[in-house]
Amino acid sequence: MQLRLVPPLFLVTPAVGALGALCAESIGWPLPWMVGSMVMVIIIRCSGWNLRDVPNGRRVGQWLIASVIGMHFSAAVLSEVSNHFLMMLVAALLTLLTALIGIALINRSGVDLPTSFFSLMPANSAEMIILGERYQADRARVAAAHSLRLVLIVLVIPAAVTWGLGTGARSMPAPADWSWLAIMLPTGFAVAWLWTRIGMPNGWAFGPMLVCAVFTIVFDLHLSLPTWLSKFGQLLLGCSLGSYFDRAFFRSAPSFLAKVLLITIAAIGVAFGAGWIMSLAVDVGPMSLTLGLMPGSSTEMSLTAEALGLGVALVTAMQIIRMVVVMLVAELIYKRWERRVQARRYN
């Protein structure tokens, strides 16, 4: 009897993703190791080969990329961010208002209120799925809407900013100092694990980011990850995003997904317009503000800012403040909205 050694299917996924990343890199596509891997995995899965996500791949990718983002938080940058706190709060409320308008539109088109609301809330998808289940939202549609929105933003925004509107001045990357990284990376991993264990949201992004930011500020460090390790983190994120999609995904609820797609495109347009208008009032570049206003994930938007030479700390802070605001008020707004709907129904 001859034994055949077949590697686990999830090991094929990063190989496919790396091929897509190399293709994207060869044509100069922005963020090639995330966008290229994501697109290639989607193409292969939609062709019928059910590639699987790498177990915990997204968590490892977030840990690495969040560590890079945290290293941008010097004391001077943190001071600049704190000076723009009011502006960032206004931006968070504007993004929330845009989402509420989209929710009203999709609800009026025939989608039930719980599914409409938690599908379009600009916050972490896991928390919105959990909240949605509590109020009888369609879990599959909520997950699909968040996946589609994030993938669309990751696919479109880096290219639009790079080729259509220009980027900031890119500085040379800081060196990789393993005498510090050997302490910071494991500490960030441990904090992420503990953060998740106690039920805090998005621990694999915020935990390592906080640890690296504290080290960078306290010890006045100027360092980053090696380029190959940063690319590996992007590869894992791209493969994870691509693994949400296959032919069944697009066939599941085409009308609903089309509505989410149109509303997301509109939200992107609002973010661009608002970013430009707000830049006239504050001394911040319009593209940094635009990324901060995007209803995407803090990890992906901050990574985009880092790759395009924009205000990484500002974008990260805007995304975090937006997520905190949404998490604080989402359930309250939903309950009030639901009561009004029921009151109209019985009058």
Side-chain angles (χ1 to χ4, degrees):
M1 181 177 178
Q2 186 176 6
L3 294 176
R4 295 176 60 191
L5 297 178
V6 180
L9 190 58
F10 69 79
L11 293 180
V12 181
T13 306
V16 170
L19 177 61
L22 291 171
C23 292
E25 198 170 49
S26 69
I27 62 173
W29 195 278
L31 280 179
W33 283 87
M34 181 168 69
V35 177
S37 59
M38 179 187 74
V39 171
M40 184 63 77
V41 170
I42 291 174
I43 291 172
I44 297 300
R45 282 176 60 84
C46 288
S47 70
W49 190 7
N50 191 27
L51 293 175
R52 298 176 185 173
D53 190 12
V54 178
N56 295 311
R58 179 165 177 80
R59 288 181 173 182
V60 174
Q62 284 183 308
W63 164 53
L64 293 173
I65 298 306
S67 298
V68 175
I69 294 166
M71 295 171 197
H72 285 271
F73 279 83
S74 65
V77 169
L78 193 62
S79 175
E80 180 186 353
V81 168
S82 65
N83 291 336
H84 293 107
F85 177 78
L86 181 60
M87 177 273 295
M88 292 187 288
L89 184 59
V90 170
L93 295 174
L94 177 60
T95 306
L96 177 61
L97 177 61
T98 303
L100 292 174
I101 293 171
I103 290 166
L105 291 173
I106 200 171
N107 177 232
R108 288 187 178 185
S109 72
V111 181
D112 63 274
L113 179 60
T115 302
S116 302
F117 189 89
F118 294 104
S119 292
L120 295 181
M121 268 288 111
N124 185 270
S125 60
E127 279 72 40
M128 291 300 100
I129 292 170
I130 292 170
L131 275 178
E133 286 183 320
R134 188 179 303 169
Y135 295 100
Q136 288 76 54
D138 186 325
R139 175 191 173 97
R141 289 194 175 193
V142 173
H146 282 279
S147 301
L148 183 62
R149 186 185 77 241
L150 182 55
V151 166
L152 179 66
I153 289 173
V154 168
L155 186 61
V156 170
I157 298 309
V161 173
T162 300
W163 295 329
L165 300 166
T167 64
R170 304 187 196 188
S171 58
M172 291 296 293
D177 186 345
W178 279 104
S179 63
W180 284 106
L181 292 178
I183 301 171
M184 294 163 66
L185 292 180
T187 304
F189 187 95
V191 170
W193 183 82
L194 288 172
W195 193 305
T196 305
R197 290 284 293 179
I198 64 176
M200 295 294 286
N202 220 5
W204 290 95
F206 294 153
M209 188 187 305
L210 178 62
V211 167
C212 291
V214 169
F215 270 88
T216 300
I217 293 169
V218 171
F219 297 102
D220 191 26
L221 301 177
H222 302 277
L223 73 165
S224 186
L225 288 185
T227 302
W228 66 267
L229 195 54
S230 179
K231 287 181 177 180
F232 180 66
Q234 293 180 46
L235 173 67
L236 291 177
L237 284 177
C239 290
S240 177
L241 290 172
S243 297
Y244 291 127
F245 295 84
D246 54 20
R247 282 182 288 187
F249 175 92
F250 293 105
R251 291 172 179 169
S252 59
S255 175
F256 172 74
L257 293 177
K259 293 168 186 174
V260 170
L261 183 67
L262 291 174
I263 289 172
T264 302
I265 292 172
I268 291 172
V270 170
F272 272 110
W276 179 76
I277 293 171
M278 292 176 71
S279 70
L280 301 177
V282 295
D283 186 23
V284 179
M287 289 302 97
S288 294
L289 291 172
T290 295
L291 287 180
L293 285 158
M294 282 293 160
S297 163
S298 60
T299 304
E300 283 77 14
M301 292 302 94
S302 302
L303 178 59
T304 301
E306 198 266 344
L308 301 181
L310 301 173
V312 179
L314 184 84
V315 170
T316 304
M318 289 178 71
Q319 291 285 335
I320 291 172
I321 289 173
R322 199 269 319 292
M323 195 206 76
V324 171
V325 168
V326 171
M327 292 300 296
L328 287 174
V329 305
E331 195 167 6
L332 296 175
I333 293 174
Y334 175 78
K335 288 179 178 178
R336 186 180 181 90
W337 197 330
E338 187 180 42
R339 283 198 297 268
R340 291 185 62 185
V341 170
Q342 291 176 348
R344 284 200 303 266
R345 189 177 299 162
Y346 293 116
N347 288 338

